Amino acid sequence: MVDQNTFTETIRAVQDIIRTSAEPMTREEILSYFKDMDLNRQQEDMVFEFLTVPHEEEPVEEPAEDNGEENGDSDTNGEAAGYGETTFGEDSEQETNQEEGIVSKSPMFQMYLDELKDIPEYSEEQMVEMYKKLLAGEESMVHTISNAWLSNVLKVAKKLALSPEGFEDVVQEGNMALFLRLSELCGSHKKADVEEELLSAIEEAMKNCIREQTGADEQENAVVGKVALVNEAVKYLKDQNGREPSAKEIADYVKIPEEELSDILNMIEKAKKDINK
């Protein structure tokens, strides 16, 4: 395959073409934009699946009981499979149902929200098994894990987005980064924290998208990072103390002056209200 930047730009361009096309595009028409790239059949299938919605979810087998004896392989636990601590809570269904009021009303984005409702929830054990298969080279896991992470992408976007403008593009960038990172990890046969790798790729792509949208300079870029930092700090302190943290507790934790923190908290609150109007 050509370099990732060229591939990413082509994906973006084809997404725009599909979005503005008066008629549905065929597989041949979509893949024609990638004809100069060295894609094998499996990679073509993954590109086509990523660019077309909705997807039919593939069934995932329940993982077998593991007593640590099968194949004599110590890498059968979650840690070896790359399953980290990056979880997104168990109330995803309830949060997904609340997304009806999100600012974007485009048919494509509504398809995305509708697709979320039909995706089954997976246990930690099932996700571990899927990550193992991905690292071992099972290409169907790119599609399956991508679908399983759709709600996570939306949550990250809501955490980082400072305004409702361009929210759909931020989500789209996150999904593309998710797909690309899954494709890179597929068959890598390395011990990796798959969840951390995916989350990092999604956040970086979204931050870049937000910077491009706002024409942010270095100071504004720092604000994006501080908003994400404060969001994570609030969540962590709430989990640790069993209550909402005070402004002083947050300020002490993130090492930000209380006056500046107040502005950031107001910005976060306003963004949440705008996105959920």
Side-chain angles (χ1 to χ4, degrees), residues 261-272:
L261 176 66
S262 177
D263 292 336
I264 294 174
L265 291 174
N266 288 336
M267 188 185 305
I268 292 172
E269 187 62 30
K270 184 179 181 300
K272 286 180 179 177

Side-chain angles (χ1 to χ4, degrees), residues 57-58 60-61 81 122-136 138 141-142 144-145 148 194:
E57 185 64 23
E58 298 179 8
V60 178
E61 295 180 0
Y122 297 107
S123 67
E124 291 186 4
E125 290 78 12
Q126 286 176 312
M127 293 304 298
V128 167
E129 288 302 312
M130 287 193 282
Y131 296 149
K132 287 181 183 178
K133 292 177 181 178
L134 175 79
L135 297 174
E138 192 167 322
M141 288 297 102
V142 173
T144 305
I145 296 173
V194 176

Side-chain angles (χ1 to χ4, degrees), residues 9-247:
E9 289 303 318
T10 305
I11 287 280
R12 282 201 190 103
V14 177
Q15 283 178 319
D16 290 337
I17 293 170
I18 292 174
R19 186 187 300 117
T20 58
S21 177
E23 299 292 334
M25 295 179 65
T26 66
R27 176 188 173 93
E28 289 70 24
E29 289 172 332
I30 291 174
L31 293 179
S32 68
Y33 294 95
F34 301 87
K35 63 182 179 181
D36 294 330
M37 302 183 188
D38 187 21
L39 301 182
N40 59 36
R41 177 72 182 193
Q42 289 76 21
Q43 290 169 332
E44 288 179 347
D45 290 341
M46 288 191 290
V47 168
F48 181 69
E49 286 179 354
F50 175 72
L51 291 171
T52 56
V53 292
H55 302 302
E56 291 296 325
E57 185 64 23
E58 298 179 8
V60 178
E61 295 180 0
E62 289 286 345
E65 259 325 295
D66 182 7
N67 297 320
E69 298 175 358
E70 185 177 355
N71 297 328
D73 189 353
S74 62
D75 283 358
T76 55
N77 58 30
E79 181 182 356
Y83 186 80
E85 295 294 329
T86 312
T87 56
F88 293 81
E90 290 77 24
D91 55 346
S92 59
E93 182 177 352
Q94 179 181 354
E95 292 185 9
T96 298
N97 292 336
Q98 293 173 351
E99 301 305 328
E100 294 293 340
I102 203 162
V103 65
S104 177
K105 298 297 181 182
S106 75
M108 183 69 73
F109 198 67
Q110 290 305 307
M111 271 184 171
Y112 180 84
L113 296 180
D114 290 340
E115 188 175 357
L116 286 182
K117 299 175 184 177
D118 297 330
I119 294 175
E121 292 185 8
Y122 297 107
S123 67
E124 291 186 4
E125 290 78 12
Q126 286 176 312
M127 293 304 298
V128 167
E129 288 302 312
M130 287 193 282
Y131 296 149
K132 287 181 183 178
K133 292 177 181 178
L134 175 79
L135 297 174
E138 192 167 322
E139 293 177 339
S140 65
M141 288 297 102
V142 173
H143 170 231
T144 305
I145 296 173
S146 180
N147 274 355
W149 266 69
L150 289 179
S151 61
N152 296 343
V153 171
L154 188 58
K155 290 176 184 177
V156 175
K158 291 187 69 177
K159 180 183 75 172
L160 295 178
L162 299 178
S163 72
E165 287 75 22
F167 185 81
E168 178 181 350
D169 291 334
V170 173
V171 174
Q172 186 181 61
E173 286 295 311
N175 279 323
M176 183 162 63
L178 171 65
F179 169 76
L180 291 173
R181 193 69 190 107
L182 283 170
S183 299
E184 291 168 355
L185 288 171
C186 185
S188 63
H189 298 282
K190 67 177 183 179
K191 181 178 178 180
D193 188 331
V194 176
E195 289 195 337
E196 185 60 34
E197 296 260 0
L198 298 181
L199 183 60
S200 177
I202 291 168
E203 286 188 339
E204 184 60 30
M206 287 183 176
K207 288 176 182 178
N208 288 337
C209 180
I210 292 169
R211 289 167 189 151
E212 290 177 8
Q213 287 176 348
T214 59
D217 57 20
E218 297 233 348
Q219 182 177 359
E220 290 169 323
N221 292 344
V223 171
V224 173
K226 287 181 179 179
V227 167
L229 177 63
V230 169
N231 265 320
E232 289 301 315
V234 170
K235 182 174 181 251
Y236 174 78
L237 292 172
K238 184 177 179 180
D239 290 343
Q240 288 292 306
N241 302 327
R243 58 174 174 78
E244 290 290 341
S246 67

